[in-house]
Amino acid sequence: MSDEPGRVPSASELADRAAIAEIIALHCRGVDRADEATLKSCYWPDATTAYGAEPVPAHQFCVDLVPAIKAFRQTHHMVTNIICAFDGAEARVESYLIAFHYLAGADGEDREMTYLGRYLDRFEKRGDIWKIMHREPVMSWSQNAATTHDAEHPALSALRQASRFPDDVVYE
């Protein structure tokens, strides 16, 4: 395949890109809902992640991530600008990330942490399934501030509130 920007992709490449984008979106859902099974479904069993100094088995990372995410009242991960470079049954994928973390303070002083960065993923296709083989997040910056959330605001108070697995509306 040509690496020329703007090249019209084949139908097969479009299908591969859609499958990869779905895995990236499902990973965001898995994190935000603290859903271990969804998180694990995004990685091959022999995959690794590098959220720290050393790569670790991805499935164990998924187990450990669930209680860490539950320390926040809510999180909200958004991925944009997904760029794929294919080499047969492998793909190098760079995705831009914006993640919001709402931390309820014991003293009533709630905080928001916004994280901006990228996921650098190596995907592998086995049969007709794409999954992450290795993921490394790269941080651009983060910002922390007192929260401005107002659940009682008239325009928002009637809305259903997000929750964790299995209580979130998406699992109904």
Side-chain angles (χ1 to χ4, degrees), residues 1 8-9 18 42 47 71 74 78 84 99-100 118 131-132 135 142 148 153 155-156 170:
M1 285 185 206
V8 175
C42 298
Q74 283 295 328
M78 295 184 300
C84 302
F100 302 93
R118 295 171 291 142
K131 292 189 183 204
I132 301 167
R135 167 165 279 185
S142 69
T148 58
H153 189 282
L156 305 175
V170 77

Side-chain angles (χ1 to χ4, degrees), residues 22 27 29 31 33 38 46 53 57 69 77 82 84 103 113 115-117 119 126 128 132 136 138 150:
E22 179 181 38
H27 193 278
R29 174 192 280 175
V31 172
R33 304 285 63 84
T38 295
D46 53 336
I69 282 296
H77 289 68
I82 299 172
C84 302
L103 183 60
M113 189 268 285
Y115 171 92
L116 297 103
Y119 289 131
R126 298 179 184 175
D128 62 351
I132 301 167
E136 180 178 359
V138 176
D150 179 6

Side-chain angles (χ1 to χ4, degrees), residues 25-109:
L26 281 171
H27 193 278
C28 290
R29 174 192 280 175
V31 172
D32 293 335
R33 304 285 63 84
D35 182 344
E36 180 183 321
T38 295
L39 284 166
K40 286 180 175 178
S41 74
C42 298
Y43 294 95
W44 289 115
D46 53 336
T48 57
T49 62
Y51 278 76
E54 297 293 325
V56 298
H59 280 201
Q60 184 60 51
F61 170 80
C62 295
V63 171
D64 297 339
L65 182 62
V66 168
I69 282 296
K70 287 182 177 180
F72 297 98
R73 179 174 290 163
Q74 283 295 328
T75 60
H76 190 92
H77 289 68
M78 295 184 300
V79 174
T80 65
N81 302 352
I82 299 172
I83 302 166
C84 302
F86 292 95
D87 185 10
E90 291 187 2
R92 300 274 180 189
V93 181
E94 176 186 27
S95 308
Y96 282 64
L97 168 69
I98 304 169
F100 302 93
H101 302 74
Y102 185 104
L103 183 60
D107 59 0
E109 296 295 321

Side-chain angles (χ1 to χ4, degrees), residues 117-134:
R118 295 171 291 142
Y119 289 131
L120 301 181
D121 294 325
R122 191 175 82 247
F123 272 77
E124 189 174 292
K125 186 178 186 181
R126 298 179 184 175
D128 62 351
I129 306 290
W130 284 99
K131 292 189 183 204
I132 301 167
M133 192 60 200
H134 180 76

